[in-house]
Amino acid sequence: MAESGFPLPPEAFCPLCGDTVRDPVTIPCGDVYCLECIKIYWDQYDHIGVYRCPECRATFTPRPVLRRNLPDVHNGRHHLPELTPFPHMQRESFCDFCVGRRSKAVKSCLVCLAYYCETHVKPHYESSTFKRHKLVDETGHLDRKICPQHEKGLELFCRSDQMCICVLCTVREHRSHNITSAEEERNEKQKVLVVTQSEVQHIIQERLKELQELRHNVDVLKSNAQRAQAESDKTFHEMLQAVERWKAEMNQMIMANMQAAMSQAEGYVERLEQEIQELQRRDTELRQILETEDNIHFLQNFPTLCVPPEAMVPKVLINPQFSFSEMSKTATDMKEHLDDICTKEQSKISKTVSETPIYILLPRNGDTRTKAPARMDFQEPKTRSDFLRYAFQMSFDPNTAFKELALSDGNHKVSRKKTAQFYPDHPERFDGFAQVLCKEALSGFRFYWEAEWSGEFSIGVAYRSISRKGKNSNSLLGYNDKSWSLLCSDSGYSAWHNKVDRDLTNSPRATRIGVYLDYAANSVAFYSVSESMELIHKFRAQFTEPLLAGFGVGSSVTLCQLKTPGKPY
């Protein structure tokens, strides 16, 4: 049981020690730890001055004060205990006039300074004796309404000392002070409380909005994690397929060399067998001629048999420089290189993830003592170098290109042609408008890209679920609730979303447009790019799906290759 009085649920475990939470404390981000565990963990960061939650990696400066207090945990989520206004006033009181078993009090008299049940309070309503008495709902602690020095009811308020007093207090202790009635002072202070209540209600609305945005962003994080896992599974599956392909190619190479070696060896074997047969035939003839007793026959065959036979096949040896072990060694080297690359990249991303907090807690009410880490920039970019921190390289997706659009420069340029291109049918291809989308899905973070254009064109973002078929508003960028676009022409700009347009007559002209997407902040902005960045238009939205960069092509559009000065957050 925590000191706050909340029972410790059986499913509450400390993430640091893995055991049931002992002396539970809740740190500012809401996670719960053993008091000793989190204290020891944070002690090692005293020299840095920045303290991190081991679970969600939220950071705090200065070190939070640890208090034993465990919120209720239900279904894996933290719930604050119900708050009781003025808990010191919530004491059940009983009638002072009941005999024997006392009934619960329903009223208290500020003159009698006593509690009354429903039965004993009736004389206050029926008798004229009590008509000057003031009844209020039972609130408990009537002793707080009595002057501790004179034992008289507190009816006045001393503005000089800001305290409630009785009539006798005005004679001595509070003589010459600014005295007023409790009712009048209450009326004055009530005006202040009304203003305070209005401010509290305003803060409540702000917090509710923050809560809604936080829950939305948590859902986005969850969706991004699931998507990242699916893409990781797909990538590693492709890697496994590639490894299987390399394995098959290596085995095929080994078998091909083995078969070539066997084929050559069989030729040599056949020729050696023929030579051996020929030599064996000559040996038989020599044996016969040596054994003959016919001198004439011997002398007649001597000239042909005395000539030594010529070698038919050269001596065959296995080339010591050729070895299948080289292929085995190559396979081993490939494995080690792959292990090195994977280990290096895994270590790099692990370090980046561990050092990048998911949440940053910012101070309220202008408290400048707590600052976010320098590497975390929550300000809107202003200069082009600021935007380039979030530069993201993209390429056009050929499967989405309209039939009259030709892609070039490694799918970084698209041009409008008069003749149809030879594209295969694809469910993601636009067939009504000269439009194309990029391959890369955008969600969760900040992204920036630039495009150069000629002829009338539109640039924007769209959900992957935007319609691709038909010549209607459902598949035209900016004319539906699934896309946001900026229409650019020599005469000016106009911003479009869900068939609603806004002419931007005073916007600066430029042949290069920059797009800045802050997915977490639910905004996408378009900029004129020249010597400086000038805002053309910004959309505010509530993104619910990953986005794709989209383009409507009048003549040509080129995705600019941007140099990123630093890795974007």
Side-chain angles (χ1 to χ4, degrees), residues 260-274 313 316:
M262 294 298 293
S263 177
Q264 292 182 36
E266 287 174 359
Y268 292 133
V269 167
E270 184 178 351
R271 291 172 63 184
L272 282 172
E273 287 176 345
Q274 291 176 356
V313 182
V316 180

Side-chain angles (χ1 to χ4, degrees), residues 385-397:
S385 60
D386 292 339
F387 284 97
L388 289 178
R389 292 176 54 207
Y390 307 101
F392 187 70
Q393 302 299 337
M394 296 183 291
S395 59
F396 296 119
D397 185 355

Side-chain angles (χ1 to χ4, degrees), residues 118-281:
E118 290 182 353
T119 302
H120 292 108
V121 77
K122 289 180 179 178
H124 275 74
Y125 295 123
E126 299 170 352
S127 174
S128 59
T129 305
F130 301 104
K131 66 180 181 179
R132 294 183 180 275
H133 290 205
K134 186 174 183 180
L135 292 175
V136 296
D137 290 337
E138 182 277 319
T139 57
H141 296 279
L142 275 176
D143 54 324
R144 299 182 66 209
K145 299 177 178 62
I146 301 175
C147 176
Q149 187 169 359
H150 305 107
E151 297 186 352
K152 295 289 184 181
L154 300 175
E155 300 174 352
L156 304 174
F157 187 82
C158 176
R159 288 177 173 171
S160 301
D161 295 332
Q162 289 294 302
M163 61 184 295
C164 297
I165 61 175
C166 69
V167 176
L168 295 180
C169 290
T170 62
V171 177
R172 189 170 181 179
E173 291 85 354
H174 296 270
R175 181 190 298 178
S176 302
H177 286 193
N178 186 1
I179 308 297
T180 185
S181 67
E183 183 177 2
E184 182 179 351
E185 182 65 18
R186 183 256 171 83
N187 291 336
E188 290 298 319
K189 282 185 163 43
Q190 184 165 322
K191 296 175 184 177
V192 177
L193 282 187
V194 169
V195 174
T196 303
Q197 183 185 28
S198 177
E199 293 175 353
V200 169
Q201 291 174 348
H202 176 69
I203 294 173
I204 289 173
Q205 293 303 316
E206 287 185 341
R207 298 300 184 271
L208 288 173
K209 184 179 179 181
E210 289 180 14
L211 177 62
Q212 183 179 5
E213 291 178 353
L214 180 58
R215 285 176 173 168
H216 169 71
N217 290 335
V218 168
D219 291 339
V220 170
L221 277 175
K222 182 179 179 181
S223 177
N224 289 342
Q226 293 172 342
R227 191 176 303 107
Q229 186 175 18
E231 292 175 355
S232 175
D233 289 343
K234 179 182 176 183
T235 300
F236 279 101
H237 178 68
E238 292 172 351
M239 288 175 62
L240 289 173
Q241 288 181 322
V243 170
E244 289 292 334
R245 185 173 65 252
W246 297 334
K247 172 187 172 184
E249 291 177 359
M250 182 65 75
N251 288 341
Q252 185 178 4
M253 187 184 302
I254 293 172
M255 292 302 297
N257 279 274
M258 182 189 73
Q259 290 173 357
M262 294 298 293
S263 177
Q264 292 182 36
E266 287 174 359
Y268 292 133
V269 167
E270 184 178 351
R271 291 172 63 184
L272 282 172
E273 287 176 345
Q274 291 176 356
E275 185 172 2
I276 291 171
Q277 290 177 359
E278 182 64 25
L279 291 172
Q280 288 175 342
R281 185 186 63 78

Side-chain angles (χ1 to χ4, degrees), residues 238-366:
E238 292 172 351
M239 288 175 62
L240 289 173
Q241 288 181 322
V243 170
E244 289 292 334
R245 185 173 65 252
W246 297 334
K247 172 187 172 184
E249 291 177 359
M250 182 65 75
N251 288 341
Q252 185 178 4
M253 187 184 302
I254 293 172
M255 292 302 297
N257 279 274
M258 182 189 73
Q259 290 173 357
M262 294 298 293
S263 177
Q264 292 182 36
E266 287 174 359
Y268 292 133
V269 167
E270 184 178 351
R271 291 172 63 184
L272 282 172
E273 287 176 345
Q274 291 176 356
E275 185 172 2
I276 291 171
Q277 290 177 359
E278 182 64 25
L279 291 172
Q280 288 175 342
R281 185 186 63 78
R282 173 67 66 90
D283 180 64
T284 301
E285 291 178 348
L286 289 170
R287 186 171 58 254
Q288 290 176 352
I289 199 65
L290 289 171
E291 293 176 354
T292 183
E293 295 179 357
D294 187 345
N295 296 329
I296 300 300
H297 177 70
F298 177 89
L299 294 173
Q300 289 177 339
N301 289 283
F302 176 78
T304 58
L305 295 176
C306 70
V307 178
E310 296 182 0
M312 297 175 57
V313 182
K315 186 175 181 179
V316 180
L317 297 175
I318 298 296
N319 185 357
Q321 294 183 349
F322 179 83
S323 173
F324 287 103
S325 62
E326 287 296 322
M327 298 184 183
S328 300
K329 182 178 182 301
T330 299
T332 301
D333 291 342
M334 292 172 67
K335 171 187 173 298
E336 291 178 352
H337 288 321
L338 185 60
D339 285 343
D340 289 343
I341 293 173
C342 291
T343 301
K344 181 179 178 181
E345 294 301 321
Q346 185 80 5
S347 175
K348 186 191 300 181
I349 189 61
S350 177
K351 184 174 185 295
T352 301
V353 170
S354 64
E355 292 181 352
T356 304
I358 298 176
Y359 300 107
I360 291 293
L361 303 184
L362 297 180
R364 298 187 187 273
N365 302 326

